Amino acid sequence: MKQVGFIGYSPNPRTKLRNQVPYQLENDFDTFNQVPESPIGREEEPHLYMVPKKYRKVTIKYSKLGLEDFDFKHYNKTLFAGLEPHIPNAYCNSMIQVMYLLEPVRCLVQNHLCQKEFCLSCELGFLFHMLDLSRGDPCQASNFLRAFRTIPEAAALGLILADSDEATGKVNLGRLIQSWCRFLLTQLHQETQELEGPQAYRGVGSTSCFSSSGGSVIGQLFGCEVENCSMCRCGKETVRLSTTLLFTLSYPETYINDKIPPPDYEFVEVLRRSICLEQNTQAWCENCEKYQPTVQTRNIRCLPDVLVINCEVNSAKEAEFWRTQAEYAFKKSLRKAELNYPKPNESIKEQWNDPNSDGASLSLVPSVEELRNVWVPHSLKMKLSKNKELEVLNISENEELGHSEDNADETTNVYDLMATVVHILDPRTGGSLVAHIKVGETYHQRKEGVTHQQWYLFNDFLIEPVDKCEAVQFDMNWKVPAILFYSKRSLNTKYNLAIKNPIEASVLLAEASLARKQRKCHATFIPLLLNEMPQSAELVGLDAEFVTLNQEEAELRSDGTKSTIKPSQMSVARITCVRGQGPNEGVPFIDDYISTQEQVVDYLTQYSGIKPGDLDAKISSKHLTTLKSTYLKLRFLIDVGVKFVGHGLQKDFRVINLMVPKDQVIDTVYLFHIPRKRMISLRYLAWYFLDLKIQGETHDSIEDARTALQLYRKYLELSCNGKEPENFRKVLKSLYEKGRKMDWKVPEPEGQSSPKNAPVYSAMVGL
């Protein structure tokens, strides 16, 4: 049988034109409808042989250094940030990217701030701030997903998966992400409706500069007022008004008979019938006082700004319906191409080689791959008449509303496809979810300094530009549509897209501890006074301690080496910040223990100093706070522009889930490091340069943060503020020689180790 290779997107018009639609191609439709083969070995992964590599599930390979030497740039050469997939419930990464790249949603949640400990809008705002700061480095949604797991409705809807469910593919990810989308929009709508009062954060007047009285921006964006009419056979009619944030496709019932192929339906026709739904069902009739067969109809009273469509392809019948409609659309597109073909008596190859042929006319003819598996239009028009009758029509991407259209009543909207969320099938693991997103001009301007639009594939941390045809091509053998997003043209002009940072200096002021016994113990820190508020470029010493929530999963290779499949899941347990200058240099102003509701499997006491009970509000004697409260303090310091000094800060910020600009991080692990040599511990550096013996029995974050500050001062002294790098290289060379001789071990003290925090604590007691 004749094989047809997969024609990929190429910006070179000559490459594309050599693969145009032949004139008599309709007779060869069956040949061109074959699934193109992928060159990967079928023996190793037979279930993936038809899936292009960029669509397959991506995994992180861990080494002894964890993620530090993993080449994320290989998967993402753009400046947009990917999301890591190894944390629980990361199946929603694709939907998070869609929400981020909807400009009004991005601005809304970054303006939102409330006092609720677990607020998805707040956490989404923090995550979007990280995505804004990233220059291609991946982020993880761990704090957002932590808040997500605490919401009872999410558990009740079955949206919270166990690790085993994700790994074994027991769930239908396509159905799951559609439920997750409905849940998220509802949750954001409810949270951003709370404007003022007890939910507003200290010093913040309102949750959003967008909101108008009585509604939320989510409601304005996605909401559609719906009139539900129920007609009993007794003649009793009941009308109820409600608001829906998305619509679900309902497929024609004529397809119940498997022996009769379905008729040819336009997508816009199915969409209109799904929005203005009519169905027969049993319902309670107040007139008859019993359940009766009723006819229920739904009509909309306004048009949304963003049209969200759950595709509901959850069975083989729906998949077959899509496949058949795409075949009909393919044949119609071929006929249209034949009619528009410039010279029907010559082949494309003959015309390409003809020196008198006009290449511009050939570029108008789409390639075979651009026509296959396409049923969904890139643009559509919705018109709502004055008597609320809906009309949905196809429209070309370049077509504008004519002046003859009745625009005064705002009854006609033109929508352009801006995102598709897709389920990539894999019978072995349940597959994965990816998104095609048309990234707008403002994002390109912010990230790359250029103004244009481009479609991208977002597959966790893999991000790649794609042709727009890929966004609407659904080969039902491996690529199943889950959610479609259509946005109204000129959407952003309707909304105020300014972001005013809602985090104010008041977050650093003194606050009460969650622990009931904390009052009985001495304070380990002195909160900042108003005249001590840090300024840009000032130093802050930082250290954090962590506990383990899940142990790592590893396997033993045949050669005896260990391979990490999934790293241990860490959670921040203590964060300490010390003053970096002034008369109180070295005195902590933050020493927060982070309360957690999740089960801790290992407190890592030897390395963290955290003991069982320290994080429990009922029995802890520490200054206990929520993660959100401490996170806001660190975010304020980052936004002000302070420079953090610490040892191994990259991992600390990663687990805390913070993105800090590189010019605001001074990491002593890299200051005292020779490339391609081992990293040196803080304990050894403190002994070698400062004659301090720290971390004797356990770690203490106050001691570590202060020691890192002292090491930085020592670095400036030895390098003459970085002006004499040659002299400092000699110092490092001597350091490594001494370390190798001592096997990097600090000699045991004859007496007790150096005084820990006595001078600082005496100052605290005095204050």
Side-chain angles (χ1 to χ4, degrees):
M1 182 181 289
K2 181 181 176 183
Q3 293 288 340
V4 178
F6 189 88
I7 304 170
Y9 167 69
S10 171
N12 185 347
R14 285 182 173 268
T15 305
K16 178 179 174 181
L17 290 174
R18 291 191 184 109
N19 298 291
Q20 301 297 325
V21 181
Y23 180 60
Q24 296 293 337
L25 188 58
E26 189 174 352
N27 295 331
D28 296 330
F29 173 75
D30 293 335
T31 301
F32 275 92
N33 199 38
Q34 293 171 11
V35 176
E37 294 195 6
S38 175
I40 69 167
R42 294 190 182 186
E43 295 180 1
E44 293 182 3
E45 297 177 286
H47 58 287
L48 290 178
Y49 80 92
M50 63 180 69
V51 181
K53 194 170 184 178
K54 62 187 175 185
Y55 285 97
R56 298 178 206 163
K57 189 174 181 64
V58 290
T59 55
I60 300 174
K61 295 181 180 178
Y62 299 91
S63 67
K64 292 180 180 179
L65 298 176
L67 292 177
E68 289 184 23
D69 59 346
F70 186 78
D71 185 14
F72 285 105
K73 293 293 183 185
H74 174 73
Y75 298 89
N76 177 17
K77 294 180 173 58
T78 74
L79 293 177
F80 298 101
L83 292 170
E84 296 174 15
H86 65 273
I87 52 180
N89 296 289
Y91 67 84
C92 58
N93 281 350
S94 57
M95 265 296 303
I96 290 174
Q97 293 281 17
V98 174
M99 290 291 108
Y100 171 66
L101 292 164
L102 267 168
E103 187 88 346
V105 176
R106 181 187 76 89
C107 298
L108 165 70
V109 295
Q110 289 198 62
N111 281 306
H112 174 86
L113 188 60
C114 68
Q115 284 188 324
K116 286 170 60 179
E117 180 179 359
F118 299 112
C119 171
L120 289 192
S121 299
C122 288
E123 294 297 343
L124 209 56
F126 301 153
L127 177 57
F128 288 177
H129 181 264
M130 290 175 60
L131 296 178
D132 276 348
L133 290 179
S134 173
R135 304 294 292 175
D137 298 318
C139 303
Q140 55 175 322
S142 54
N143 288 357
F144 170 78
L145 292 175
R146 182 190 190 198
F148 166 67
R149 292 194 297 270
T150 65
I151 298 176
E153 291 85 352
L157 292 169
L159 302 178
I160 301 173
L161 300 185
D163 287 351
S164 57
D165 293 337
E166 289 190 75
T168 56
K170 292 182 179 179
V171 294
N172 182 327
L173 288 179
R175 181 180 297 165
L176 186 70
I177 197 64
Q178 291 174 79
S179 299
W180 192 91
C181 177
R182 186 186 298 274
F183 162 79
L184 179 72
L185 293 179
T186 304
Q187 192 73 19
L188 296 183
H189 176 56
Q190 293 172 351
E191 290 173 350
T192 55
Q193 272 183 314
E194 301 163 348
L195 299 180
E196 295 185 6
Q199 293 299 326
Y201 209 82
R202 295 182 287 178
V204 181
S206 68
T207 56
S208 171
C209 64
F210 283 92
S211 298
S212 60
S213 59
S216 76
V217 178
I218 297 297
Q220 296 170 33
L221 271 170
F222 303 96
C224 186
E225 194 174 345
V226 173
E227 185 181 87
N228 299 287
C229 178
S230 180
M231 174 71 76
C232 179
R233 62 184 179 183
C234 71
K236 172 71 174 178
E237 183 180 31
T238 306
V239 178
R240 293 184 178 88
L241 295 180
S242 63
T243 299
T244 184
L245 299 173
L246 54 77
F247 294 96
T248 300
L249 284 186
S250 176
Y251 299 100
E253 295 181 3
T254 55
Y255 192 49
I256 294 176
N257 190 340
D258 294 333
K259 296 180 181 179
I260 304 174
D264 184 358
Y265 289 101
E266 292 278 352
F267 175 83
V268 290
E269 182 182 352
V270 175
L271 176 60
R272 190 200 66 79
R273 292 173 58 166
S274 302
I275 294 174
C276 301
L277 193 62
E278 182 175 326
Q279 56 187 1
N280 297 315
T281 185
Q282 290 281 111
W284 178 262
C285 177
E286 294 180 356
N287 190 40
C288 301
E289 295 186 344
K290 62 180 179 179
Y291 284 97
Q292 290 279 52
T294 59
V295 177
Q296 294 188 344
T297 56
R298 180 175 68 188
N299 293 294
I300 61 173
R301 303 179 66 175
C302 62
L303 297 175
D305 287 345
V306 179
L307 178 64
V308 185
I309 305 167
N310 277 352
C311 295
E312 201 73 14
V313 186
N314 297 325
S315 70
K317 284 189 175 182
E318 284 116 8
E320 186 59 32
F321 180 85
W322 273 76
R323 185 181 288 110
T324 306
Q325 298 307 320
E327 288 176 2
Y328 290 151
F330 183 47
K331 290 181 178 180
K332 285 188 287 188
S333 298
L334 293 182
R335 295 191 191 101
K336 185 177 179 181
E338 290 173 6
L339 294 174
N340 296 331
Y341 206 75
K343 295 182 181 180
N345 294 324
E346 296 181 17
S347 69
I348 282 290
K349 189 173 181 180
E350 289 172 343
Q351 291 187 53
W352 181 258
N353 294 328
D354 184 358
N356 298 320
S357 178
D358 181 12
S361 61
L362 291 178
S363 64
L364 300 175
V365 184
S367 70
V368 174
E369 287 305 317
E370 290 177 356
L371 299 177
R372 181 186 283 126
N373 299 318
V374 175
W375 183 48
V376 175
H378 275 281
S379 300
L380 53 86
K381 179 168 65 175
M382 297 178 70
K383 185 171 184 178
L384 197 61
S385 65
K386 292 181 180 179
N387 58 355
K388 304 307 178 186
E389 290 184 1
L390 179 66
E391 188 178 8
V392 186
L393 303 168
N394 285 316
I395 187 174
S396 69
E397 284 188 273
N398 301 322
E399 187 177 342
E400 298 289 342
L401 281 177
H403 294 291
S404 60
E405 298 276 4
D406 183 12
N407 296 325
D409 296 331
E410 294 185 345
T411 57
T412 302
N413 281 359
V414 174
Y415 294 90
D416 294 314
L417 187 69
M418 67 81 52
T420 59
V421 178
V422 179
H423 183 196
I424 305 301
L425 301 182
D426 180 349
R428 185 184 59 174
T429 64
S432 59
L433 293 164
V434 304
H436 304 96
I437 307 175
K438 184 165 69 173
V439 179
E441 296 178 352
T442 53
Y443 290 88
H444 283 105
Q445 182 67 41
R446 232 181 0 257
K447 291 285 186 179
E448 299 176 348
V450 294
T451 304
H452 73 286
Q453 295 184 344
Q454 171 66 48
W455 280 93
Y456 289 88
L457 169 68
F458 287 82
N459 181 6
D460 290 331
F461 55 83
L462 184 153
I463 302 176
E464 188 174 309
V466 295
D467 193 13
K468 67 177 185 179
C469 66
E470 288 193 41
V472 293
Q473 288 180 308
F474 303 112
D475 183 340
M476 306 305 288
N477 293 308
W478 60 272
K479 186 182 179 186
V480 180
I483 312 173
L484 309 177
F485 289 82
Y486 283 91
S487 63
K488 183 180 175 181
R489 280 196 190 163
S490 304
L491 170 71
N492 293 346
T493 59
K494 183 178 176 180
Y495 294 88
N496 175 12
L497 301 179
I499 296 178
K500 181 182 178 182
N501 190 347
I503 305 174
E504 299 182 355
S506 56
V507 298
L508 289 177
L509 300 179
E511 63 177 354
S513 170
L514 299 177
R516 299 173 185 174
K517 297 184 178 180
Q518 195 264 338
R519 299 174 188 170
K520 301 178 182 178
C521 300
H522 65 273
T524 57
F525 67 101
I526 304 172
L528 291 173
L529 303 175
L530 285 175
N531 60 356
E532 286 187 293
M533 287 298 163
Q535 305 299 316
S536 178
E538 288 188 354
L539 300 181
V540 170
L542 182 141
D543 190 65
E545 308 293 352
F546 306 95
V547 293
T548 302
L549 300 181
N550 288 325
Q551 298 289 7
E552 75 169 20
E553 297 176 18
E555 63 181 3
L556 201 62
R557 295 196 186 100
S558 57
D559 60 358
T561 59
K562 187 179 77 168
S563 172
T564 301
I565 301 172
K566 198 171 187 178
S568 57
Q569 187 188 352
M570 311 291 287
S571 178
V572 62
R574 183 184 182 188
I575 294 176
T576 300
C577 290
V578 303
R579 294 164 173 87
Q581 53 275 306
N584 290 328
E585 179 177 338
V587 176
F589 62 92
I590 295 174
D591 188 28
D592 291 350
Y593 286 74
I594 311 301
S595 173
T596 180
Q597 298 178 359
E598 298 183 284
Q599 185 176 0
V600 177
V601 299
D602 192 348
Y603 284 90
L604 305 171
T605 304
Q606 181 182 352
Y607 307 103
S608 68
I610 307 295
K611 299 175 183 176
D614 284 351
L615 309 181
D616 188 341
K618 296 178 182 178
I619 60 177
S620 177
S621 60
K622 310 297 183 183
H623 182 79
L624 206 60
T625 68
T626 64
L627 175 61
K628 182 177 178 179
S629 172
T630 306
Y631 191 95
L632 287 171
K633 299 173 188 176
L634 296 179
R635 257 292 306 275
F636 177 79
L637 294 174
I638 294 169
D639 296 343
V640 163
V642 305
K643 293 190 174 183
F644 293 98
V645 181
H647 195 80
L649 289 179
Q650 185 176 354
K651 181 183 177 184
D652 291 359
F653 288 137
R654 179 183 180 78
V655 179
I656 298 170
N657 211 205
L658 276 169
M659 181 69 68
V660 186
K662 292 181 180 178
D663 60 352
Q664 287 182 241
V665 179
I666 300 171
D667 200 332
T668 53
V669 79
Y670 294 110
L671 293 181
F672 298 92
H673 177 244
I674 295 177
R676 295 182 296 279
K677 303 274 187 182
R678 66 168 288 160
M679 302 291 187
I680 303 176
S681 69
L682 181 65
R683 174 175 164 81
Y684 188 85
L685 291 173
W687 170 79
Y688 185 87
F689 287 109
L690 306 176
D691 196 25
L692 290 176
K693 293 190 175 75
I694 64 171
Q695 301 173 353
E697 296 178 1
T698 183
H699 288 226
D700 181 84
S701 57
I702 294 177
E703 180 183 57
D704 291 353
R706 188 184 302 118
T707 303
L709 265 176
Q710 292 175 280
L711 274 174
Y712 177 57
R713 301 289 187 197
K714 192 69 176 178
Y715 163 78
L716 294 177
E717 175 191 325
L718 294 172
S719 65
C720 298
N721 289 322
K723 296 176 182 177
E724 298 184 10
E726 287 299 325
N727 290 341
F728 188 65
R729 269 193 212 99
K730 294 177 183 177
V731 173
L732 288 183
K733 189 175 179 182
S734 301
L735 166 68
Y736 274 85
E737 288 175 357
K738 182 78 170 176
R740 280 192 295 269
K741 289 178 183 177
M742 300 187 64
D743 198 21
W744 303 101
K745 293 180 180 177
V746 174
E748 292 297 324
E750 295 178 3
Q752 197 61 27
S753 64
S754 64
K756 294 194 82 170
N757 302 312
V760 178
Y761 284 138
S762 61
M764 290 180 189
V765 173
L767 286 170

